[in-house]
């Protein structure tokens, strides 16, 4: 019998067949869902590829509503039941930090300086039962919050005598943290020295540069001519105590004197009695803005070059009766210089960022409308935080 040649066909996986071959069609392609991120970043705002792309204020506060920013979930009435597929109606699960935030019990709060610094006192005022964590530098405290080593940070923003702490304004842009509150602290400087040392024995005073400047006149009247600047007030007290200096005093708080075993030679030696520092409270997640209590909102923006640009930017708030409590300009570090319009390429000028504090809540529609209007002619707009205003005594 003649051999039969066998043709080998490639193996194909079986397919489900319908009863009517003519009606068979490939199953539709499934598209993956993209759920919105927990922190409310606009880049993850859509839930499907077909959703329209929405504008958002860069790194803003959760639950906003400016050109697509989300508002806080509205209360559900008995007649209105949200659909199961609407992620905006789903509440964020409470965390241990949420539970601890009311009294501060169990919260780890970072501050800059040594134990006994004014920043530690501000942290204790903001969160009375917290565990304070000292940090060597401002950027260390920022990074500690971002890396979840601590829950909060309390850092100075401005002083009534010394002005703004520019370093912290710059760090706000470098980190994706939110301002969740503010606290004001009255600064009461003391002249400290080792036990047995008298004021007439002192020839030098050591402290933070701002503290030295705030006590300049008093130190001169006391006959202390030499000044030594260090990183923080409590650090000065610690150094004087550790080195057992007999001719050098430290300008620091009464708490620092107690911690490091120093005598208080003089109290309230600041030249101006109204010496108040405003601190910001930082967290990884923003607070939900409200309208039933006084709120402040902090923003930063930059503008295109041209006459009247800053006037137009501020007018969006004036037209809506929104009060501004602070405006601060800082050179834009990513674009420090730009060519002036109508000039040769060799002539350049600074490009600026504007930090503004508003007496308004992001839950207020007029604030949302103002920022929506502002975004039309800004090159950068970011909400740094919307938070309760500090109404307590400094």
């Amino acid at each position: 019998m003649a051999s039969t040649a066998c043709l080998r066909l490639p193996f194909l996986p079986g397919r489900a067949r319908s009863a009517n071959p003519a009606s068979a069609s490939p199953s539709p392609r499934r598209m993956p869902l993209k759920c919105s991120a927990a922190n409310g970043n606009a880049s993850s705002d859509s839930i499907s590829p077909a959703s329209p792309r929405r504008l958002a204020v860069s790194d803003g506060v959760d639950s906003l509503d400016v050109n697509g920013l989300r508002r806080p979930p509205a209360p559900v009435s008995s007649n209105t039941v949200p659909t199961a597929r609407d992620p905006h109606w789903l509440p964020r699960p409470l965390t241990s930090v949420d539970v601890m935030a009311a009294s501060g019990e169990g919260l780890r709060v970072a501050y800059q300086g040594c134990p006994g610094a004014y920043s530690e006192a501000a942290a204790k005022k903001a969160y009375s039962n917290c565990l304070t964590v000292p940090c060597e530098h401002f950027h260390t405290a920022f990074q500690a919050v971002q890396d979840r080593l601590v829950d909060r940070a309390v850092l100075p923003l401005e002083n009534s005598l010394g002005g703004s702490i520019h370093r912290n304004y710059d760090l706000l842009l470098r980190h994706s943290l939110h301002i969740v509150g503010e606290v004001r602290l009255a600064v009461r400087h003391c002249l400290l020295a080792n036990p047995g040392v008298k004021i007439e024995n002192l020839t030098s005073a050591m402290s933070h540069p701002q503290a030295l400047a705030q006590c300049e006149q008093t130190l001169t009247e006391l006959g202390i001519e030499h000044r030594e600047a260090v990183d923080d007030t409590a650090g000065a007290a610690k150094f004087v105590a550790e080195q057992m200096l007999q001719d050098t005093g430290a300008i620091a708080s009464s708490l620092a004197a107690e911690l490091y075993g120093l005598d208080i030679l003089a109290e309230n030696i600041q030249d101006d009695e109204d010496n108040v520092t405003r601190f910001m409270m930082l967290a990884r997640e923003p607070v939900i803005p409200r309208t039933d209590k006084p709120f402040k909102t902090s923003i930063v923006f930059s503008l295109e070059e041209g006459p009247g640009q800053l006037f137009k930017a501020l007018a969006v708030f004036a037209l809506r009766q929104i009060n501004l409590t602070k405006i601060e300009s800082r050179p834009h570090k990513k674009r420090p210089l730009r060519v002036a319009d109508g000039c040769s390429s060799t002539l350049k000028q600074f490009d600026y960022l504007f930090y503004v504090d508003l007496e308004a809540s992001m839950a207020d529609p007029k604030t949302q409308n103002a920022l929506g209007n502002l975004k039309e002619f800004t090159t950068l707009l970011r909400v740094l935080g919307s938070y309760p205003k500090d109404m307590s005594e400094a």
Side-chain angles (χ1 to χ4, degrees):
M1 177 182 291
S3 62
T4 304
C6 240
L7 179 63
R8 292 184 179 271
L9 296 176
F11 174 77
L12 297 176
R15 298 183 181 176
R17 297 183 182 179
S18 63
N20 183 8
S23 63
S25 60
S27 60
R29 181 184 176 188
R30 294 183 179 270
M31 302 298 288
L33 288 177
K34 293 183 179 179
C35 296
S36 57
N39 62 0
N41 288 342
S43 60
S44 302
D45 208 21
S46 61
I47 61 168
S48 70
S51 299
R53 185 172 182 266
R54 298 190 289 180
L55 287 175
V57 177
S58 167
D59 292 334
V61 178
D62 275 354
S63 305
L64 312 183
D65 193 15
V66 182
N67 293 335
L69 295 176
R70 295 190 296 279
R71 295 182 180 178
V76 181
S77 67
S78 57
N79 298 327
T80 304
V81 179
T83 62
R85 294 184 179 181
D86 186 359
H88 303 295
W89 288 89
L90 301 178
R92 178 176 65 85
L94 287 177
T95 66
S96 57
V97 173
D98 295 322
V99 177
M100 295 184 296
S103 65
E105 186 172 359
L107 282 179
R108 292 172 57 83
V109 180
Y111 67 93
Q112 186 274 330
C114 295
Y118 291 107
S119 291
E120 184 183 24
K124 288 289 189 181
K125 183 179 180 182
Y127 303 103
S128 56
N129 298 315
C130 70
L131 173 64
T132 54
V133 180
C135 297
E136 187 175 2
H137 303 292
F138 288 133
H139 69 83
T140 309
F142 271 86
Q143 198 64 44
V145 179
Q146 191 158 306
D147 292 346
R148 300 180 180 272
L149 299 176
V150 296
D151 305 303
R152 300 282 192 275
V154 175
L155 299 170
L157 267 183
E158 60 181 342
N159 176 264
S160 57
L161 301 181
S164 298
I165 291 84
H166 296 134
R167 174 64 174 160
N168 285 336
Y169 278 97
D170 295 337
L171 287 170
L172 279 170
L173 272 189
R174 290 176 51 185
H175 295 81
S176 55
L177 302 180
H178 303 270
I179 303 177
V180 296
E182 66 173 0
V183 59
R184 295 178 303 154
L185 182 74
V187 177
R188 301 286 181 258
H189 291 308
C190 300
L191 179 62
L192 314 180
N194 281 299
V197 176
K198 306 297 182 183
I199 291 181
E200 51 267 25
N201 302 138
L202 299 179
T203 59
S204 177
M206 176 183 296
S207 191
H208 187 275
Q210 282 205 9
L212 293 172
Q214 292 165 9
C215 304
E216 178 69 29
Q217 182 178 343
T218 303
L219 291 175
T220 302
E221 291 174 355
L222 292 175
I224 303 174
E225 298 295 337
H226 186 63
R227 319 280 192 262
E228 293 185 50
V230 293
D231 288 339
D232 68 283
T233 55
K238 181 180 179 182
F239 184 83
V240 168
E242 289 179 344
Q243 301 299 317
M244 293 297 297
L245 301 178
Q246 302 298 305
D247 60 349
T248 301
I251 298 176
S253 66
S254 56
L255 176 60
E258 180 182 343
L259 288 176
Y260 301 111
L262 299 177
D263 288 343
I264 299 177
L265 303 184
E267 294 183 279
N268 294 328
I269 64 172
Q270 62 274 2
D271 298 335
D272 193 324
E273 291 184 2
D274 296 325
N275 185 5
V276 178
T277 299
R278 185 168 73 96
F279 293 79
M280 60 178 171
M281 298 144 67
L282 291 172
R284 290 180 294 275
E285 298 290 340
V287 295
I288 300 299
R290 297 162 56 179
T291 57
D292 59 343
K293 60 191 301 186
F295 257 66
K296 291 176 72 173
T297 298
S298 297
I299 64 172
V300 58
F301 61 87
S302 60
L303 299 166
E304 293 286 356
E305 175 62 23
Q309 289 293 317
L310 182 57
F311 172 80
K312 289 194 296 183
L314 301 181
V316 304
F317 305 110
L319 292 173
R320 294 169 176 86
Q321 300 297 309
I322 297 176
N323 186 41
L324 307 185
T325 59
K326 179 182 177 64
I327 180 169
E328 177 93 10
S329 62
R330 294 283 295 152
H332 198 324
K333 290 198 171 184
K334 291 186 177 180
R335 296 188 306 168
L337 294 172
R338 63 180 170 191
V339 179
D341 293 340
C343 300
S344 66
S345 59
T346 57
L347 182 59
K348 295 184 178 181
Q349 59 190 20
F350 283 107
D351 201 4
Y352 287 96
L353 292 167
F354 297 95
Y355 293 85
V356 176
D357 287 348
L358 322 172
E359 281 189 331
S361 169
M362 283 303 302
D364 191 337
K366 70 178 183 181
T367 309
Q368 300 170 12
N369 293 335
L371 293 188
N373 191 180
L374 178 63
K375 188 169 178 64
E376 294 174 3
F377 45 86
T378 58
T379 58
L380 166 73
L381 175 59
R382 177 175 166 184
V383 178
L384 300 171
S386 190
Y387 48 90
K389 184 179 178 180
D390 182 15
M391 305 296 290
S392 65
E393 290 291 332

